[in-house]
Amino acid sequence: MTIRDTYLNKLREEKVLVDLYTDSYGESYYGFIIDFNEEYLVLKKFTVESLFDGISVLRRDDITRINWGGNDIESTFKLIYKKDYELEIQHINLESMETIVKSVSKDFNHITVYVQDIDSNICLIGQVEDLDDETLILDSFGTRATLDRRHIMIAMENITRIDAGGIYEKNLQILFDRKEQI
């Protein structure tokens, strides 16, 4: 086992709050490592205000550094609600991007897809319409302002990150569900 895997396992087992960085995309995330394999890592995310913000499945190659300990991270941890800290996330099948999308979609009824190597500012939020090992068809949610629906075809090889259960995504889904009831 590599040093990296040893420490990832230790951080997961001890439920240590980490600050995880993907410097190529200029992002960092507070959270708890809940699973990983050679290719992917699952993070239970929290905002800087210590609010539960869903999960992220990231490619391990995109993770440039992980911090833990220190006053900032420890203060954030102390403000996290115990029920959010203890919230169990269903097992996500990390075998391939296809199995990740299926697992996350089944558990959360929506996903957020990132294609950061193409454009780090784009994220596509919606419900899985269809997929295979090469292609994802997403019935996407538009913005909160437009509440528009459209279908998008995405190559699985371009997906860099999958999120679900976040504050914004949940609110979008509520708005779309209410719009459909009218």
Side-chain angles (χ1 to χ4, degrees):
M1 187 178 279
T2 66
I3 290 175
R4 186 176 188 186
D5 287 347
T6 300
Y7 275 86
L8 287 175
N9 194 50
K10 179 179 177 177
L11 293 168
R12 177 185 62 191
E13 295 298 319
E14 295 178 8
K15 296 182 180 178
V16 175
L17 182 67
V18 299
D19 192 2
L20 183 145
Y21 291 84
T22 58
D23 289 305
S24 298
Y25 308 126
E27 298 177 326
S28 71
Y29 317 95
Y30 284 121
F32 298 94
I33 297 167
I34 57 174
D35 201 5
F36 66 92
N37 66 11
E38 289 182 25
E39 197 169 354
Y40 301 103
L41 181 139
V42 182
L43 188 73
K44 182 172 23 170
K45 292 188 316 181
F46 288 82
T47 67
V48 293
E49 294 85 17
S50 303
L51 301 173
F52 175 66
D53 198 24
I55 58 120
S56 281
V57 182
L58 303 105
R59 293 186 315 202
R60 281 185 52 182
D61 288 345
D62 293 336
I63 299 168
T64 52
R65 56 196 158 108
I66 299 174
N67 293 338
W68 65 93
N71 291 336
D72 186 47
I73 295 171
E74 293 301 320
S75 294
T76 301
F77 176 72
K78 288 176 183 176
L79 293 173
I80 291 174
Y81 293 113
K82 185 176 181 180
K83 69 176 181 61
D84 291 337
Y85 169 73
E86 294 174 346
L87 177 70
E88 288 295 323
I89 302 297
Q90 296 295 317
H91 173 73
I92 296 169
N93 185 339
L94 298 177
E95 185 178 320
S96 67
M97 187 54 73
E98 179 184 5
T99 62
I100 291 168
V101 169
K102 284 180 181 177
S103 294
V104 172
S105 176
K106 179 179 171 247
D107 292 341
F108 292 93
N109 196 32
H110 69 272
I111 62 171
T112 303
V113 177
Y114 291 85
V115 289
Q116 296 162 300
D117 290 339
I118 296 169
D119 186 337
S120 62
N121 295 318
I122 293 179
C123 73
L124 308 162
I125 304 169
Q127 295 168 312
V128 173
E129 180 79 20
D130 205 356
L131 79 152
D132 63 19
D133 62 339
E134 294 180 6
T135 307
L136 167 64
I137 306 296
L138 192 68
D139 187 6
S140 72
F141 300 151
T143 64
R144 287 175 19 176
T146 66
L147 290 180
D148 191 22
R149 296 295 303 248
R150 63 182 175 182
H151 287 85
I152 300 173
M153 183 183 305
I154 306 161
M156 290 292 227
E157 68 185 24
N158 292 329
I159 298 173
T160 56
R161 187 174 110 212
I162 297 288
D163 286 5
I167 297 167
Y168 182 74
E169 294 95 330
K170 283 182 181 178
N171 288 338
L172 261 184
Q173 190 161 15
I174 290 168
L175 288 173
F176 276 98
D177 289 345
R178 288 186 181 156
K179 180 183 175 193
E180 290 172 4
Q181 293 173 0
I182 295 175

